[in-house]
Amino acid sequence: MAHVVVLGAGLGGTIMAYELRDALGSEHQISVINKGPEYSFVPSNPWVAVGWRERDAVTVDLAPVFAKRKIAFHPQGAKRLHATEKRVELNDGQSISYDYLAIATGPELAFDEIPGFGPEHFTQSVCQIDHALAARPAFDNLVANPGPVVIGAVQGASCFGPAYEFAFILEKALRDAKVRDRVPMTFVTSEPYIGHLGLDGVGDTKGMIESAMRERHIKWICNAKVDKVEDGMISVSEIADDGSVKQAHELPFAYSMMLPAFRGVAAVRDIEGLTNPRGFILADQYQRNPGFPEIFSVGVCVAIPPMGKTPVPVGVPKTGFMIESMVTATVQNIARLIAGEEPNAVPTWNAICLADFGDSGIAFVAQPQLPPRNVNWSSEGKWVHLAKVGFEKYFLGKMRSGQSEPFYEHLALQVLGIDKLKAVKVDPAE
């Protein structure tokens, strides 16, 4: 009997546990380690921050679902991975040994890299459900006392979609409250242009998002490096292509939400052969670590080089469907190892994204996520907002039921020609 441990129960880790149980059957042991007992649907956090969702609507109590699927659950969280010993030390002093480990921790949020930055200081966050809930009173105060707003993503950030979403959702919420006319808005981003998204754009995201910002009177600053944040003031250097400071900006704000850079979590950081200097997990085409072949990784914790040189550091996002393709490949490869075979499943890293703007939005499909692409498509309209709401309900339903991919979802993706795995070449001897 093999013991497979999943470290982290976010999108990637939870789906991983469900797919492992489906693939391995009841004869193998599966355990999940997570900090806390809940799964939270992170894409809903912008709605939470403006009061459009409550916590119970976007979270799932994992213990009963895992128990139903016969998956062991350890919500005390991991203190340290001891990779050479093939065990995970938990925060309560226990240790969990494994035959195979799938790391799906997500990131640590590097607010401390900029003075005054983050929810413990002067800016809000929608990265976690608790951050979004804490941002709601600040939104209420903005409505009661309107003033300038600064939204965006700082240097080194890799997750730009939620910043755009929140800017537009906030703008809609302010219009609903009849105070938009008293709230100047500025979008500040490390991207070289609006709609870059860490992906050099997808379809016409540049034109679409710029047009939407002009229509809503949202100004922007690109190639922006946030130097410091003080109470009510953000200091930003706009960087030229040669690395010099093109212009310094002092931006007053009554409310600010800026997404941080990410790094690997402390439990896995600084393990020689496992991580890069930033603490992200090194992985080959099979999502397998070259130094520790029994360790796989999926999601935001995976080390992916940036698209190319930019005046200000810009990371590559790991989107939901891209993560799911990593999960499916990892599950198949672990199953093959347990059966005494070599890994052969390679994820496509295809991306399907719905960016909600409160009453409209932009959808895009990138196959694969990193260019050059076979499919490079984007579209906008009110249908995107409705689709995002529908997807939220559907995905949370999957999480609560313990399913990874119902038959009708698999069929729909086949009809659309969107795959999670690259075609597998099978040796005739197999």
Side-chain angles (χ1 to χ4, degrees), residues 334-355:
I334 289 176
R336 286 181 63 85
L337 286 169
I338 290 173
E341 301 169 334
E342 286 300 307
N344 68 352
V346 179
T348 59
W349 286 13
N350 288 337
I352 308 171
C353 287
L354 300 170

Side-chain angles (χ1 to χ4, degrees), residues 6-18 20 32 66 102-105 298 323 327:
V6 180
L7 183 54
L11 182 151
T14 305
I15 291 290
M16 172 79 69
Y18 298 162
L20 281 167
V32 176
F66 283 151
I103 301 176
T105 58
V298 302
I323 294 172
V327 168

Side-chain angles (χ1 to χ4, degrees), residues 48-342:
V48 172
V50 297
W52 294 357
R53 292 289 187 280
E54 298 298 329
R55 184 187 195 109
D56 290 348
V58 298
T59 56
V60 178
D61 182 4
L62 290 172
V65 187
F66 283 151
K68 182 177 68 174
R69 296 300 315 270
K70 295 181 171 53
I71 297 168
F73 185 40
H74 304 275
Q76 57 267 58
K79 181 178 181 181
R80 189 64 176 170
L81 167 62
H82 299 273
T84 57
E85 302 172 26
K86 299 174 66 172
R87 68 180 178 91
V88 181
E89 180 185 357
L90 305 185
N91 283 320
D92 65 358
Q94 295 185 64
S95 283
I96 305 294
S97 297
Y98 59 82
D99 296 300
Y100 298 97
L101 176 68
I103 301 176
T105 58
E108 183 175 280
L109 308 174
F111 292 114
D112 60 305
E113 294 180 343
I114 300 172
F117 182 44
E120 294 185 359
H121 298 285
F122 304 117
T123 61
Q124 306 300 323
S125 165
V126 293
C127 294
Q128 299 173 355
I129 182 68
D130 290 336
H131 292 168
L133 288 166
R136 187 180 299 180
F139 165 73
D140 294 337
N141 186 61
L142 175 66
V143 171
N145 303 281
V149 163
V150 179
I151 308 297
V154 307
Q155 58 270 24
S158 57
C159 190
F160 297 94
Y164 285 110
E165 284 192 299
F166 188 70
F168 288 112
I169 288 168
L170 179 63
E171 197 273 343
K172 172 63 165 61
L174 292 169
R175 278 190 280 125
D176 291 345
K178 310 297 184 186
V179 297
R180 177 66 180 90
D181 59 319
R182 290 183 280 163
V183 182
M185 296 184 68
T186 304
F187 191 83
V188 174
T189 179
S190 53
E191 299 161 277
Y193 59 82
I194 292 297
H196 180 279
L197 302 171
L199 298 170
D200 200 14
V202 181
D204 189 29
T205 49
K206 181 180 188 293
M208 288 178 178
I209 299 176
E210 281 189 356
S211 177
M213 285 185 162
R214 288 192 186 96
E215 181 182 344
R216 293 163 175 81
H217 304 283
I218 301 174
K219 298 179 179 179
W220 64 80
I221 302 171
C222 295
N223 287 323
K225 176 180 175 291
V226 176
D227 299 311
K228 64 178 179 178
V229 184
E230 298 171 296
D231 191 5
M233 185 68 68
I234 296 181
S235 300
V236 174
S237 294
E238 185 179 352
I239 306 301
D241 289 344
D242 64 1
S244 64
V245 177
K246 178 179 178 181
Q247 186 176 351
H249 302 267
E250 295 292 321
L251 303 175
F253 68 90
Y255 182 101
S256 178
M257 196 295 295
M258 300 283 288
L259 297 182
F262 295 159
R263 61 184 171 225
V265 302
V268 301
R269 206 161 54 229
D270 300 322
I271 297 177
E272 186 175 354
L274 182 71
T275 64
N276 70 6
R278 192 74 183 167
F280 294 114
I281 310 299
L282 302 171
D284 64 13
Q285 62 178 331
Y286 306 114
Q287 302 299 139
R288 188 185 196 185
N289 179 257
F292 298 93
E294 68 281 353
I295 296 179
F296 292 75
S297 58
V298 302
V300 181
C301 69
V302 176
I304 300 179
M307 286 290 304
K309 187 176 181 180
T310 52
V312 180
V314 171
V316 174
K318 291 92 171 182
T319 59
F321 189 80
M322 177 188 184
I323 294 172
E324 289 195 55
S325 79
M326 293 180 182
V327 168
T328 297
T330 298
V331 169
Q332 292 196 18
N333 289 330
I334 289 176
R336 286 181 63 85
L337 286 169
I338 290 173
E341 301 169 334
E342 286 300 307

